[in-house]
Amino acid sequence: MQQQTSEHYKRALRAQNQVLKKAVVDEQANSASLKEQLKQKDQSLRKQEQEMDSLSFRNQQLAKRVELLQEELAASEAKGRKGKSKGDSPSQHGLQTQSVFDEDLQKKIEENERLHIQFYEADEQHRRQEAELRTRLTELEKDSEQHQAVVDGLTTKYMETIERLQSDKARLEIKAQTLEREAKDCRMRTEEWINHLKFSDYNSLNVPPHNRRHQLKARDVAGQALSFIQDLVAALLNFHTYTEQRVHIYPLDSSIEPISPLNQKFSQYLHENAAYVRPLEDSFLQLHQSITEDTVTVLETVVKLKSFADNFSSYTHFLQKILPYQLKSLEEECEAPLCTAALTMKNHELQGDMKRVTSVFEKLQNYINLLALPSRLTFQTFDTSAVFTQLAAFLHSLHDAIKEMSKHYNQKAALEQELPTVTQKLCTTTECLVGSLSSLTSSTGKIATFFSNNLDFFTSSGYCPKGCTVALNPLQAESMLANKKKAAGYIHALRKPRPQSVPYRDALSNRRILTSSTESREGLTQQVQQSQEKIARLEQEKEHWLLEAQLGKVRLEKENQRIADLEAQLAAALGGSPSSQTAAASTLAQSHEEAETEQKAAGKETTLCTSLVGMLCTTPSVGDEESREQLIKTHYMVRVGELTTQLQISDSKAVHFHSECRALAKRLAIAEKSRETLSEEVKLANQNITRLQDELATTKRSYEDQLSMMSDHLCSMNETLSKQREEIDTLKLGSKVHTFVTRNRF
């Protein structure tokens, strides 16, 4: 209930949000238009200011010109006075010049007045417009501030609502995870029961016998339908391909000038037709291959029909996508300069034909999806015979629609050949297009006739449990095939001596032993790995100490040899002269000091080398370098052999682990796909629950309204009845009074 309330609240918020968004968008558009008007007014204002500046500059020039003319007039008048005394001819010449100057001055004065008037009017108009625009701008700024305040308030409110809804969503997700775990447990228990039911008694499932004749008939019918589908696919491919070529040729030839963007998009979509048409043939071929003599062919078991239905839906969506472009392309042909009235009428007829063909494909898609439902939903029940009957009727409608479109295209092609500007390429493409429509008409007619002839087979029930009229379910089909295989195996085994079977109790005890052995095997494997690591570590230490022992042995032999040499020198010195004895003693002491020095140096220079093959303690010496080098070489060769063996073992383990990882990755991918499928099913179930809850609420509301109306009507009827009773009582009382008065009179 809380979830339903939150859903209603979300819908109300979404509706309010959409209204406010629309209002904000309208105000923004209004503000943008007003800004554009203000921009235009500013441009006109700047233009008028420029004109006013030019007029001011012109006015200044004219004023200077007037002053100059006045000065010249004054000078000419002065010269005229002086010339009066001299004669009449100069005076006459001065008068003529004076009249010319007067006319010019009068014109300039009039022009100056007119420019002053225009400047004043333009200035006044500019001031009025500026005041109006400023007032309008102030009002718009106020409106914008108010709208912004409303938007800010709503944004804050929506953010709070979103936070609350997010917390609700997190809580619901936790609840959904819990429900998903419960659903997973339920599915596991269901699978266990299904597996248990698979091996239950044959009679408890009420499984019908296997119908081999029905399977052979289904195989034959599917083969015929496959050949018709292949012809239909070839015709559709040709039709879309030649339509694409015609778009590039007419009304504009793409090799001469670019075609319109709409036709370019149309051509791009038509170029993708094979991706939608080819899967029809492939999926139906898989459907035909899945129908064999050893299978059970009913709607509930034909899983490959779902793939064909999905591909047919994809092609129908492709037709819906290209339909507007087809109609627009025909309209462009109508707008061509040489398009006659007859061609325009044929184009309009073709538009109607294309709409009708697309509509029929949509209806065929719906019925094919209905036929694919039983293979996906276990408990889906509907009248399949009615679906097959309607499907046959719409196949005939598709044949009629394509036949009509082919007829109109033939007439259009004949009219186009009469045009003076028609090219040979256009004629060839149109002929190919008409031929593809003819083959499409033929293939659809064959499919419609074939479906009608085999309608009895489609609507008949080849498999039906004994004493039951419902269709065969997948569990019964699986049990039927399993029992058929068991029967065949039993008959085959009758000819051979049967091996002794293991008793059930022994099998259970063997299974327990196997399980415990597997567990103990895992524990022993871990112990073996630990022991191998410990052995490897001890081997390293052993190699180290063996090398140390060999070096110590060599060092001991060297010391023994040196002691023997010193003893020989000492004996020789003792058997000689005192001077030789003194020399021998000094030599012995010197050698003893050298030995001590060497030992100290050796003690100082002894180093410890540690690597992947072990630890090595080295003491530099002059005499044992060759032997030590040989020992180290031998040791490393042996160690390299051991490491090579270990490397090979590691490589084999790595290959084994890699194969196991690949298998686990495949299992993980399968599990992910299963999880996605289950998520989609849960989503669809939630949508159905929501829809049913909405329908329940609507029905409940309508019932409440009807009850309230009936209650009101009942109340009004009670009031009317009470009034009638009061009137009856009043009339009865009046009648009694009248009778009493009459009796008293008599």
Side-chain angles (χ1 to χ4, degrees), residues 409-684:
Y409 236 112
N410 277 315
Q411 295 173 357
K412 178 184 176 181
L415 292 173
E416 284 180 349
Q417 289 180 358
E418 297 175 358
L419 295 177
T421 58
V422 66
T423 60
Q424 183 63 34
K425 184 164 60 174
L426 177 60
C427 291
T428 305
T429 305
T430 306
E431 289 176 359
C432 294
L433 186 58
V434 171
S436 65
L437 279 173
S438 300
S439 60
L440 189 60
T441 304
S442 175
S443 60
T444 52
K446 290 178 182 178
I447 291 174
T449 306
F450 160 77
F451 204 88
S452 299
N453 293 336
N454 293 280
L455 188 60
D456 294 336
F457 172 74
F458 292 137
T459 55
S460 64
S461 178
Y463 296 93
C464 187
K466 187 181 296 182
C468 184
T469 58
V470 297
L472 186 72
N473 59 47
L475 180 60
Q476 292 174 334
E478 188 175 356
S479 300
M480 180 196 301
L481 294 177
N483 285 289
K484 180 178 179 293
K485 291 180 181 178
K486 286 181 181 179
Y490 179 74
I491 293 173
H492 182 70
L494 288 176
R495 303 172 185 175
K496 298 180 180 179
R498 298 183 64 184
Q500 186 177 2
S501 61
V502 180
Y504 181 69
R505 293 181 180 178
D506 295 343
L508 287 179
S509 62
N510 291 336
R511 187 176 182 277
R512 293 192 192 98
I513 293 170
L514 181 61
T515 305
S516 61
S517 300
T518 304
E519 294 176 354
S520 61
R521 179 186 175 187
E522 293 177 355
L524 291 173
T525 303
Q526 294 179 357
Q527 292 179 6
V528 168
Q529 290 179 355
Q530 294 175 0
S531 300
Q532 287 179 353
E533 293 175 357
K534 189 175 181 180
I535 289 169
R537 187 167 62 253
L538 292 174
E539 286 288 338
Q540 291 179 359
E541 293 179 358
K542 176 185 174 183
E543 294 293 335
H544 164 66
W545 292 117
L546 283 174
L547 187 59
E548 285 290 330
Q550 291 176 0
L551 291 175
K553 186 177 179 181
V554 172
R555 210 178 291 122
L556 179 61
E557 290 176 357
K558 294 292 183 182
E559 289 296 327
N560 290 334
Q561 183 67 32
R562 189 171 59 182
I563 290 170
D565 293 340
L566 290 174
E567 286 178 354
Q569 291 178 5
L570 181 61
L574 290 174
S577 60
S579 60
S580 62
Q581 292 177 1
T582 305
S586 64
T587 303
L588 182 61
Q590 185 177 0
S591 64
H592 183 66
E593 290 177 357
E594 288 177 356
E596 289 180 353
T597 305
E598 288 178 0
Q599 289 177 0
K600 291 179 181 179
K604 291 180 181 179
E605 295 178 0
T606 300
T607 58
L608 182 65
C609 298
T610 304
S611 65
L612 294 173
V613 296
M615 296 183 295
L616 178 63
C617 183
T618 60
T619 304
S621 178
V622 178
D624 58 351
E625 287 183 358
E626 294 180 358
S627 60
R628 184 184 64 186
E629 188 173 326
Q630 185 65 29
L631 289 171
I632 291 172
K633 183 177 179 182
T634 304
H635 169 72
Y636 275 108
M637 289 298 292
V638 174
R639 192 62 182 164
V640 164
E642 294 177 355
L643 290 174
T644 304
T645 305
Q646 293 180 3
L647 181 61
Q648 292 175 355
I649 295 171
S650 301
D651 287 339
S652 62
K653 288 183 178 179
V655 171
H656 176 65
F657 290 153
H658 178 66
S659 61
E660 286 186 355
C661 290
R662 288 182 63 184
L664 290 173
K666 290 181 180 179
R667 291 178 61 186
L668 180 61
I670 294 170
E672 286 291 333
K673 290 181 180 179
S674 177
R675 186 180 66 83
E676 291 177 358
T677 305
L678 293 174
S679 300
E680 290 294 331
E681 291 179 357
V682 171
K683 186 177 179 182
L684 290 174

Side-chain angles (χ1 to χ4, degrees), residues 250 327 458 669 723:
Y250 189 78
L327 302 179
F458 292 137
K723 289 180 180 179

Side-chain angles (χ1 to χ4, degrees), residues 293-313:
E293 184 180 349
D294 296 330
T295 58
V296 178
T297 305
V298 290
L299 289 178
E300 288 77 9
T301 59
V302 182
V303 183
K304 297 296 182 181
L305 184 59
K306 174 64 172 59
S307 177
F308 177 74
D310 294 339
N311 292 325
F312 195 86
S313 299

